Amino acid sequence: MTTSTSQDHLLGVLTREFERVYLEVCARGFSALGRTSPDHPVVRDDAWQYHPAWPPSYEAYGRYRVLDTLRKARSLRPERVLEIATGGGFTAACLYEEGREVVANDLQPTRELFGAWTTGERLRWEAGDFFALDPERLGTFDLVLACEVIEHVAHGDRMLAHLRRFLKPGGTLMLTTPNGAYFRSKLPTHSQVEDFTALEAQQFKPDADGHLFLYTAEELERLCRAAGFTQVDVELSVTPFLSGHAGVRLLPSRPALGRVYLALDTWVRRLGPAARERLCTQMLVTARVP
């Protein structure tokens, strides 16, 4: 597996710039990044966009996950991006604003929510089940994003094979998903599921209630390679000092402690691969096609 070699290089510990941006988003929501349209009142009460949330907490965890994904997507310098299950469209809107051609997809009819972002109305929107998307119509992409999706899909192998069809030669699939090897995880992992077909009626449901099962880093790397991807890289991130798991949420949560919890989180993620697999709650996977 590539988790040990990639972690120090791609995580970059926590650069000062990333730390500064993350703490600003904790203080003011994603509106701190200046992507929110002042003429769009729908989201004014949206906690993710406007309200503070400090670690250790689920809300702080979610903000870190989004910013870390965006940071990695930028580093790949894609010209054309497809994001499936985009939700509110924040990542897609940010990438579009930076000059990328972006196609955003979601099962829910959330096209109007894109008006919350300064570039949202100009994004190309494709509604519906991502399995119904056709590369003959949409073309191919340098980057396909699938954040917090695969754990909601009964047949992850089919999902990976389908998304591979949208990638140009040398293109990258990036997906995020909870870490199934995390020591407090209560769901079965991929290798423990005996009947994937039985899960079909439960798939595509949002949020944690829709998690069918989880993947370990080894399971997901193996599945990606079976689907024809190469250079599969798994980054493990987010410890309870950010997420609040394992009772850590009972610790004080206030602005003055934000940097302290980030430092503790970084220290834990500098441990060996076996410790990271047990203590980190999140995975970010990149997989290339030849």
Side-chain angles (χ1 to χ4, degrees), residues 32-104:
L33 300 184
R35 295 331 197 263
T36 308
S37 172
D39 300 323
H40 189 80
V42 174
V43 296
R44 284 294 162 188
D45 293 327
D46 189 327
W48 289 100
Q49 312 310 329
Y50 294 100
H51 297 181
W54 295 96
S57 68
Y58 173 78
E59 292 77 14
Y61 166 23
R63 294 172 195 217
Y64 183 95
R65 184 182 68 211
V66 170
L67 290 176
D68 198 39
T69 301
L70 182 59
R71 173 172 63 169
K72 183 57 183 291
R74 284 169 168 165
S75 74
L76 298 174
R77 301 185 183 278
E79 294 183 3
R80 198 160 192 262
V81 181
L82 168 66
E83 183 176 20
I84 65 164
T86 188
F90 174 75
T91 303
C94 285
L95 292 172
Y96 182 90
E97 185 173 292
E98 294 165 3
R100 279 86 175 183
E101 180 184 353
V102 180
V103 177

Side-chain angles (χ1 to χ4, degrees), residues 99-153:
R100 279 86 175 183
E101 180 184 353
V102 180
V103 177
N105 153 264
D106 198 83
L107 185 63
Q108 302 296 325
T110 56
R111 179 67 180 86
E112 66 277 6
L113 292 180
F114 281 17
W117 312 113
T118 53
T119 56
E121 292 300 327
R122 289 176 281 159
L123 285 164
R124 179 174 175 180
W125 171 250
E126 295 286 337
D129 185 342
F130 65 82
F131 278 109
L133 298 178
D134 185 356
E136 293 294 327
R137 184 172 62 85
L138 297 182
T140 54
F141 299 82
D142 303 293
L143 174 65
V144 173
L145 284 170
C147 299
E148 308 302 294
V149 181
I150 196 168
E151 68 273 13
H152 300 268
V153 178

Side-chain angles (χ1 to χ4, degrees), residues 25-278:
V25 171
C26 285
R28 297 192 286 136
F30 286 116
S31 64
L33 300 184
R35 295 331 197 263
T36 308
S37 172
D39 300 323
H40 189 80
V42 174
V43 296
R44 284 294 162 188
D45 293 327
D46 189 327
W48 289 100
Q49 312 310 329
Y50 294 100
H51 297 181
W54 295 96
S57 68
Y58 173 78
E59 292 77 14
Y61 166 23
R63 294 172 195 217
Y64 183 95
R65 184 182 68 211
V66 170
L67 290 176
D68 198 39
T69 301
L70 182 59
R71 173 172 63 169
K72 183 57 183 291
R74 284 169 168 165
S75 74
L76 298 174
R77 301 185 183 278
E79 294 183 3
R80 198 160 192 262
V81 181
L82 168 66
E83 183 176 20
I84 65 164
T86 188
F90 174 75
T91 303
C94 285
L95 292 172
Y96 182 90
E97 185 173 292
E98 294 165 3
R100 279 86 175 183
E101 180 184 353
V102 180
V103 177
N105 153 264
D106 198 83
L107 185 63
Q108 302 296 325
T110 56
R111 179 67 180 86
E112 66 277 6
L113 292 180
F114 281 17
W117 312 113
T118 53
T119 56
E121 292 300 327
R122 289 176 281 159
L123 285 164
R124 179 174 175 180
W125 171 250
E126 295 286 337
D129 185 342
F130 65 82
F131 278 109
L133 298 178
D134 185 356
E136 293 294 327
R137 184 172 62 85
L138 297 182
T140 54
F141 299 82
D142 303 293
L143 174 65
V144 173
L145 284 170
C147 299
E148 308 302 294
V149 181
I150 196 168
E151 68 273 13
H152 300 268
V153 178
H155 302 282
D157 54 345
R158 298 179 190 174
M159 171 182 163
L160 294 174
H162 179 61
L163 295 182
R164 188 183 184 280
R165 300 170 60 216
F166 291 89
L167 285 166
K168 299 176 181 179
T172 301
L173 169 68
M174 182 186 301
L175 62 87
T176 67
T177 189
N179 173 25
Y182 173 59
F183 80 103
R184 290 291 297 271
S185 176
K186 298 178 182 179
L187 288 174
T189 67
H190 180 265
S191 61
Q192 296 171 330
V193 177
E194 297 181 356
D195 186 359
F196 293 96
T197 301
L199 299 174
E200 291 178 358
Q202 302 170 248
Q203 66 183 347
F204 304 133
K205 295 179 180 179
D207 303 322
D209 289 342
H211 292 182
L212 303 179
F213 53 90
L214 301 180
Y215 293 86
T216 66
E218 183 178 1
E219 290 171 346
L220 198 47
E221 181 177 4
R222 186 168 60 246
L223 209 65
C224 286
R225 294 192 182 279
F229 290 94
T230 59
Q231 300 180 44
V232 181
D233 180 76
V234 182
E235 297 181 51
L236 295 163
S237 64
V238 186
T239 71
F241 288 110
L242 293 188
S243 68
H245 290 159
V248 178
R249 68 183 182 281
L250 300 177
L251 293 175
S253 178
R254 59 176 69 104
L257 295 174
R259 284 188 173 84
V260 174
Y261 293 131
L262 277 172
L264 290 169
D265 179 84
T266 301
W267 176 79
V268 171
R269 285 188 284 152
R270 283 183 157 184
L271 300 176
R276 288 201 301 266
E277 283 192 84
R278 295 292 288 163

